[in-house]
Amino acid sequence: MSAAITSLIDGLNPQQRAAVTATEGPVLVLAGPGSGKTRVLTHRIAYLIREKNLHPSALMAVTFTNKAAAEMKHRVEGILGDRLKGLQIGTFHSICARLLRREAESTRHRNDYLIYDTDDQLTVINQAMTEQNIDDKKYKPRAILNAISSAKNELTGPDAFIAQGYMAEVTRRVYQRYQEILISNNARDFDDLLMDTAILFRDHPDVLEKYQQFYEYLLVDEFQDTNAAQYYLVKELAAPQNNVFVVGDEDQAIYAFRGADYRNVLQFRRDFPQAQIILLEQNYRSTQVVLDVARAVIDKNSNRTRKALFTERQGGTPVQVFEAYSDSEEAEYVVTTIEEQRRKLSLSYKDFAIMYRTNAQSRAMEEACIREGVPYKLVGGIGFYKRREVRDLLAYLRLVNNLDDSVSFSRVINIPKRGIGKKSVEDFQAWAAKNRYTTSRALEALADGEVTPLNSSAVKKFIEFHRMILEWRQEASSNNLAALLDSILIRTHYTMHLQETSDDNEQFMEREENVKELRGLLDKNIGMPLNEFLEEIALVADIDTVSDALDAVTLLTLHAAKGLEYPVVFLTGLEEGLLPHMRSFDEPEGMAEERRLMYVGITRAMQRLYLTYAFRRLMYGDSTPGRPSRFLADIPLDRVEGAPSKMLQNQSRRSFEAETRWDDSTERRSGSLLAGLGRPNKPASLPAASAPKKENLKYKTGQKVRHAKFGEGVVIHSLRMGSDEEVTVSFSDKKIGLKRLAASFANLEILGEK
DNA sequence: GGGCCGTCGCTTTTT
DNA sequence: GCGACGGCCC
């Protein structure tokens, strides 16, 4: 063994070493969080290239995000010290997208096909529904889209879709038409990228064989989050040698909603009984305290391989729990704590992450960051490519690339205003559909003077628009995309349009800035064919665009946090209905996934972990009461420390004791702060709000009250304590904050309902 | 065809 | 609390 090889496996533990060097045949690695799985993957790639003398192009590595792919490539280059020409590394979607372009002649699309995102998909769904007179009040387009997406992820095409029941029949009809429109538009949705590749392999054994021979070794990361289509692709490509290496952790499966099925891990063992199974159990990321908390949460899930995660980093700072009155107080606490800890521990802003279940929760955090002057970077939310002006201009670019894209066509045909209204566009599309014309064919027919239901002035405007696009098409062939965008901006007077449609100057400037940013992006990619540029931006994930260089706090959803790590992590909004999310209350599998989500969040923390929740939270514009998440009740008390404020500390401690103690007596909980813990319960029936009425208590949640000494405040909740009533009040004087008072002594004056 | 204004529904999570 | 959409009027 050469010195270079030894250094490749030096510093790896025996299990990691086994995973790196087990090159032949199927291998399944079950890797706990922080167990050095990326290290294993990169070293394995390097090992295959160095030791097995493999050409990089004979390797295919699938990662979960483009960011992870880029990082992996970078790290392998760091090990090998040279370029990895031809190494295929990327997400399933990006790898399939490229493959489908290369093999276009064996598919139903041309190689300049477009990739539709969710908004585009909904436009097509709506069109398909309108055409068939399906009421979108009765059948939610979004639900139908989800059903179609699930079907595709199971590799069920529109013809194989069997409808049982009325809803399914509606779905079947929409699916049928939806797919026709996509093909006619020369467009694919995300799921088609996978399904069409699978179909290609099924119907063209010669093509499949070519790739089977080309890719001698396969590696798949985050295997627990693969769906049926992806698993099919892995299995097909791996054959016949089956040099397939998959890494996953069932406890981190959090994408069932998009068709992922962690049982693929079990399926893999069944399909490859000769597979080597390697467990990575040593954690190099977190302290023992963090791991204890993580374990306490995940151990409540059944049907899993229990792993004995361990670390050599004994001890650690106890997990801090903070109970806030409102979402804004929670945010304030998080941000001021970051500032305080950053100074105390000499950390950078980028060492901190704030995590939450839903994107909507980012708002309060952002506002607090702005107030406190803490720099932050937001992952997800309304991303750059979702801005109206960016979408408009991209629609022009997409049309230039592919004039059959009816979605982009109907988006910009009247932007800026050209006097072509909704009615004209609908008539045009209906006429095109009736004649089975694609959009470009229909436009040509108009120019040829074919009889249409449109009036002559409308026809003239359509023809004019068509000509304009064709001219840009000429320009696009030079691959100077920034110049092309300039032509579009000038010819359409787009800036003027922006000015006219902006509410104020501030909004106008912001939008113009976005246009400039898009132009900058096009300029950076000078020489890149338009189609490739469009493909690239269609497949970027929010997380891909986050800069590591920027020193700022990261705000992200728990889903986006997968695979990342931070010295200090804040898990926020730990409330019933949020985490676990109310949408998972009625399915045990959904609840188990929420728990895994919590587990993923906890295990991102290297040194310090903060868990926070709020009594009241702004939802849909008004404040609604909440209760601490049931998952908090599973955390061992001796790993936890209360909030810094003395009073809240007591409150918090009491809550936790209460939770653990009352875990098996649901009845006693009603009317208490922790009512309903451990039991599915819709926030609509929150005992905090409804129980006092039932028990005929004097004070009700939300009431404004005055105390002789503490001043004015709001009742958080009230509960019967023997013959007396215990009222918890949040006083407007911040120094007083929350108080628990005995009603008979406190003499609270009721000032009215909120 | 276009602009204004009121109603409604909404939120998981994402390639 | 906000954006999408439908109804209404010019």
Side-chain angles (χ1 to χ4, degrees), chain A residues 221-263:
Chain A
D221 193 11
E222 305 286 7
F223 186 68
Q224 77 282 356
D225 280 319
T226 51
N227 61 34
Q230 291 165 334
Y231 184 60
Y232 175 86
L233 293 173
V234 170
K235 240 174 69 178
E236 290 299 302
L237 277 171
Q241 265 123 330
N242 295 329
N243 290 328
V244 53
F245 180 86
V246 302
V247 189
D249 179 6
E250 296 142 286
D251 291 336
Q252 295 183 65
I254 53 173
Y255 280 95
F257 71 91
R258 69 177 208 212
D261 187 349
Y262 65 88
R263 286 173 307 178

Coordinates of all heavy atoms in Angstrom, one line a residue, chain A residues 221-263:
Chain A
D221 N -26.1 8.9 -1.1 CA -26.2 9.5 0.3 C -27.7 9.7 0.7 O -28.5 9.7 -0.2 CB -25.5 10.8 0.2 CG -25.2 11.3 1.6 OD1 -25.4 10.6 2.6 OD2 -24.8 12.5 1.8
E222 N -28.0 9.8 1.9 CA -29.3 10.1 2.4 C -30.3 9.0 1.9 O -31.4 9.4 1.4 CB -29.8 11.5 2.1 CG -28.9 12.6 2.6 CD -28.9 12.8 4.1 OE1 -29.6 12.1 4.8 OE2 -28.3 13.8 4.6
F223 N -29.9 7.8 1.9 CA -30.7 6.7 1.2 C -32.1 6.6 1.9 O -33.0 6.2 1.2 CB -29.9 5.4 1.3 CG -30.5 4.3 0.6 CD1 -30.6 4.3 -0.8 CD2 -31.1 3.2 1.2 CE1 -31.2 3.3 -1.5 CE2 -31.7 2.2 0.5 CZ -31.7 2.2 -0.9
Q224 N -32.2 6.9 3.1 CA -33.5 6.8 3.8 C -34.6 7.7 3.2 O -35.8 7.6 3.4 CB -33.4 7.1 5.3 CG -33.3 8.6 5.7 CD -31.9 9.1 5.5 OE1 -31.0 8.5 5.1 NE2 -31.8 10.4 5.7
D225 N -34.1 8.7 2.4 CA -35.1 9.7 1.8 C -35.2 9.5 0.3 O -35.5 10.4 -0.4 CB -34.7 11.1 2.2 CG -35.1 11.5 3.6 OD1 -36.3 11.1 3.9 OD2 -34.4 12.2 4.3
T226 N -35.0 8.3 -0.2 CA -35.2 8.0 -1.6 C -36.7 7.5 -1.7 O -37.2 6.9 -0.8 CB -34.3 6.9 -2.1 OG1 -34.4 5.8 -1.2 CG2 -32.9 7.3 -2.2
N227 N -37.3 7.8 -2.9 CA -38.6 7.3 -3.1 C -38.5 6.1 -4.1 O -37.4 5.6 -4.5 CB -39.5 8.4 -3.7 CG -39.0 9.0 -5.0 OD1 -38.4 8.2 -5.8 ND2 -39.2 10.2 -5.2
A228 N -39.7 5.5 -4.4 CA -39.7 4.3 -5.2 C -39.0 4.5 -6.5 O -38.3 3.6 -7.0 CB -41.1 3.8 -5.4
A229 N -39.2 5.6 -7.2 CA -38.6 5.9 -8.5 C -37.1 5.9 -8.4 O -36.4 5.3 -9.2 CB -39.1 7.2 -9.1
Q230 N -36.6 6.6 -7.3 CA -35.2 6.7 -7.2 C -34.6 5.3 -6.8 O -33.5 5.0 -7.3 CB -34.9 7.7 -6.0 CG -35.2 9.1 -6.5 CD -35.3 10.1 -5.3 OE1 -35.6 9.7 -4.2 NE2 -35.1 11.3 -5.6
Y231 N -35.3 4.6 -6.0 CA -34.7 3.2 -5.7 C -34.7 2.3 -6.9 O -33.7 1.6 -7.1 CB -35.6 2.6 -4.6 CG -35.1 1.3 -4.1 CD1 -33.8 1.2 -3.6 CD2 -35.8 0.1 -4.3 CE1 -33.3 0.0 -3.2 CE2 -35.2 -1.1 -3.9 CZ -34.0 -1.2 -3.3 OH -33.4 -2.4 -2.9
Y232 N -35.7 2.4 -7.8 CA -35.7 1.7 -9.0 C -34.5 2.1 -9.8 O -33.8 1.2 -10.4 CB -37.0 2.0 -9.8 CG -37.1 1.4 -11.2 CD1 -37.6 0.1 -11.3 CD2 -36.7 2.1 -12.3 CE1 -37.7 -0.4 -12.6 CE2 -36.7 1.6 -13.6 CZ -37.2 0.3 -13.7 OH -37.3 -0.3 -15.0
L233 N -34.2 3.3 -10.0 CA -33.1 3.8 -10.8 C -31.7 3.3 -10.2 O -30.9 2.8 -11.0 CB -33.0 5.3 -10.8 CG -34.2 6.0 -11.6 CD1 -34.1 7.5 -11.4 CD2 -34.1 5.7 -13.0
V234 N -31.6 3.3 -8.9 CA -30.4 2.8 -8.2 C -30.2 1.3 -8.6 O -29.1 0.9 -9.0 CB -30.5 3.0 -6.7 CG1 -29.3 2.2 -6.0 CG2 -30.4 4.5 -6.4
K235 N -31.3 0.6 -8.4 CA -31.2 -0.9 -8.6 C -30.9 -1.2 -10.1 O -30.0 -2.1 -10.4 CB -32.5 -1.5 -8.2 CG -32.3 -2.6 -7.2 CD -33.6 -3.1 -6.6 CE -34.3 -4.0 -7.7 NZ -35.6 -4.6 -7.1
E236 N -31.5 -0.5 -11.0 CA -31.3 -0.8 -12.4 C -29.9 -0.4 -12.8 O -29.2 -1.2 -13.5 CB -32.3 0.1 -13.3 CG -33.7 -0.4 -13.2 CD -33.9 -1.8 -13.7 OE1 -33.5 -2.1 -14.9 OE2 -34.3 -2.7 -12.9
L237 N -29.4 0.8 -12.4 CA -28.1 1.2 -12.8 C -27.0 0.3 -12.1 O -25.9 0.2 -12.7 CB -27.9 2.6 -12.3 CG -28.4 3.7 -13.3 CD1 -28.3 5.1 -12.7 CD2 -27.6 3.7 -14.6
A238 N -27.2 -0.2 -11.0 CA -26.2 -1.0 -10.3 C -26.0 -2.3 -10.9 O -24.8 -2.8 -10.9 CB -26.6 -1.2 -8.8
A239 N -27.0 -2.9 -11.5 CA -26.9 -4.2 -12.1 C -25.9 -4.2 -13.3 O -25.7 -3.1 -13.9 CB -28.3 -4.6 -12.6
P240 N -25.3 -5.3 -13.6 CA -25.4 -6.5 -13.0 C -24.3 -6.7 -11.8 O -24.4 -7.6 -11.0 CB -25.1 -7.5 -14.1 CG -24.2 -6.8 -15.0 CD -24.5 -5.3 -14.9
Q241 N -23.3 -5.8 -11.8 CA -22.2 -6.0 -10.8 C -22.7 -5.7 -9.4 O -22.2 -6.2 -8.4 CB -21.0 -5.2 -11.1 CG -20.0 -5.9 -11.9 CD -19.7 -5.2 -13.2 OE1 -20.6 -4.6 -13.7 NE2 -18.5 -5.3 -13.6
N242 N -23.6 -4.8 -9.3 CA -24.1 -4.4 -8.0 C -23.1 -3.8 -7.1 O -23.1 -4.0 -5.9 CB -24.9 -5.5 -7.3 CG -26.1 -5.9 -8.1 OD1 -26.8 -5.0 -8.7 ND2 -26.5 -7.1 -8.0
N243 N -22.2 -3.0 -7.7 CA -21.3 -2.3 -6.8 C -22.0 -1.0 -6.3 O -21.7 0.1 -6.8 CB -20.0 -1.9 -7.6 CG -19.2 -3.1 -7.9 OD1 -19.2 -4.1 -7.1 ND2 -18.5 -3.1 -9.0
V244 N -22.9 -1.2 -5.4 CA -23.7 -0.1 -5.0 C -23.5 0.1 -3.5 O -23.6 -0.8 -2.7 CB -25.2 -0.3 -5.4 CG1 -25.7 -1.7 -4.9 CG2 -26.1 0.8 -4.9
F245 N -23.3 1.4 -3.1 CA -22.9 1.7 -1.8 C -24.0 2.8 -1.3 O -24.0 3.9 -1.9 CB -21.5 2.3 -1.8 CG -21.0 2.8 -0.5 CD1 -20.4 1.9 0.4 CD2 -21.1 4.1 -0.1 CE1 -19.8 2.4 1.6 CE2 -20.5 4.6 1.1 CZ -19.9 3.7 2.0
V246 N -24.8 2.4 -0.3 CA -25.8 3.4 0.1 C -25.6 3.7 1.6 O -25.3 2.8 2.4 CB -27.2 2.9 -0.1 CG1 -27.5 2.6 -1.6 CG2 -27.6 1.6 0.7
V247 N -25.8 5.0 1.9 CA -25.6 5.4 3.3 C -26.9 6.1 3.7 O -27.5 6.9 3.0 CB -24.5 6.5 3.4 CG1 -24.2 6.8 4.8 CG2 -23.3 6.1 2.6
G248 N -27.4 5.7 4.9 CA -28.6 6.3 5.4 C -28.8 6.1 6.9 O -28.0 5.5 7.5
D249 N -29.9 6.7 7.4 CA -30.2 6.6 8.8 C -31.7 6.7 8.9 O -32.3 7.8 8.6 CB -29.6 7.7 9.6 CG -29.9 7.7 11.0 OD1 -30.6 6.7 11.5 OD2 -29.5 8.6 11.8
E250 N -32.4 5.6 9.2 CA -33.9 5.6 9.3 C -34.4 6.7 10.2 O -35.5 7.2 10.0 CB -34.4 4.3 9.8 CG -34.1 3.1 8.8 CD -33.7 1.9 9.6 OE1 -32.6 1.8 10.2 OE2 -34.5 1.0 9.7
D251 N -33.6 7.0 11.2 CA -34.1 8.0 12.2 C -34.1 9.4 11.6 O -34.6 10.3 12.3 CB -33.1 8.0 13.4 CG -33.3 6.7 14.2 OD1 -34.4 6.1 14.1 OD2 -32.4 6.3 14.9
Q252 N -33.5 9.6 10.5 CA -33.5 10.9 9.9 C -34.3 11.0 8.6 O -34.1 11.9 7.8 CB -32.0 11.3 9.6 CG -31.2 11.5 10.8 CD -29.8 12.0 10.5 OE1 -29.6 13.1 10.1 NE2 -28.8 11.2 10.8
A253 N -35.3 10.1 8.5 CA -36.2 10.1 7.3 C -37.2 11.1 7.5 O -38.1 11.0 8.4 CB -36.8 8.7 7.1
I254 N -37.2 12.2 6.8 CA -38.1 13.3 7.0 C -38.8 13.8 5.7 O -39.4 14.9 5.7 CB -37.4 14.5 7.7 CG1 -36.2 14.9 6.9 CG2 -37.1 14.1 9.1 CD1 -35.5 16.2 7.4
Y255 N -38.8 13.0 4.7 CA -39.4 13.4 3.4 C -40.5 12.5 2.9 O -40.7 12.4 1.7 CB -38.3 13.6 2.4 CG -37.5 14.9 2.5 CD1 -36.4 15.0 3.2 CD2 -38.1 16.1 2.0 CE1 -35.7 16.2 3.4 CE2 -37.4 17.3 2.2 CZ -36.2 17.4 2.9 OH -35.6 18.6 3.0
A256 N -41.2 11.9 3.8 CA -42.3 11.0 3.3 C -43.3 11.8 2.5 O -43.9 11.2 1.5 CB -42.9 10.3 4.5
F257 N -43.5 13.0 2.8 CA -44.5 13.8 2.1 C -44.2 14.0 0.6 O -45.0 14.3 -0.1 CB -44.6 15.2 2.8 CG -43.5 16.1 2.6 CD1 -43.5 17.0 1.5 CD2 -42.4 16.1 3.4 CE1 -42.4 17.8 1.3 CE2 -41.3 16.9 3.3 CZ -41.3 17.8 2.2
R258 N -42.9 13.8 0.3 CA -42.7 13.8 -1.2 C -42.3 12.5 -1.7 O -41.6 12.3 -2.7 CB -41.7 14.9 -1.5 CG -40.3 14.7 -1.1 CD -39.4 15.8 -1.6 NE -38.1 15.3 -1.8 CZ -37.0 16.1 -1.6 NH1 -37.1 17.4 -1.3 NH2 -35.8 15.6 -1.8
G259 N -42.9 11.5 -1.1 CA -42.8 10.1 -1.6 C -41.6 9.3 -1.1 O -41.5 8.1 -1.5
A260 N -40.8 9.8 -0.3 CA -39.7 9.1 0.2 C -40.2 8.0 1.2 O -41.2 8.1 1.8 CB -38.7 10.0 1.0
D261 N -39.5 6.9 1.2 CA -39.9 5.7 2.0 C -38.6 5.1 2.6 O -37.9 4.4 1.9 CB -40.6 4.7 1.1 CG -41.3 3.6 1.9 OD1 -40.9 3.5 3.1 OD2 -42.1 2.9 1.3
Y262 N -38.5 5.3 3.9 CA -37.2 4.8 4.5 C -37.2 3.2 4.5 O -36.2 2.6 4.8 CB -37.1 5.3 5.9 CG -38.1 4.9 6.9 CD1 -38.0 3.7 7.6 CD2 -39.3 5.6 7.1 CE1 -39.0 3.3 8.5 CE2 -40.3 5.2 8.0 CZ -40.1 4.1 8.7 OH -41.1 3.6 9.6
R263 N -38.4 2.6 4.2 CA -38.4 1.2 4.2 C -37.5 0.7 3.0 O -37.2 -0.5 2.9 CB -39.8 0.7 4.1 CG -40.5 0.8 5.4 CD -42.0 0.4 5.2 NE -42.5 1.2 4.1 CZ -43.8 1.1 3.7 NH1 -44.6 0.2 4.3 NH2 -44.2 1.9 2.7

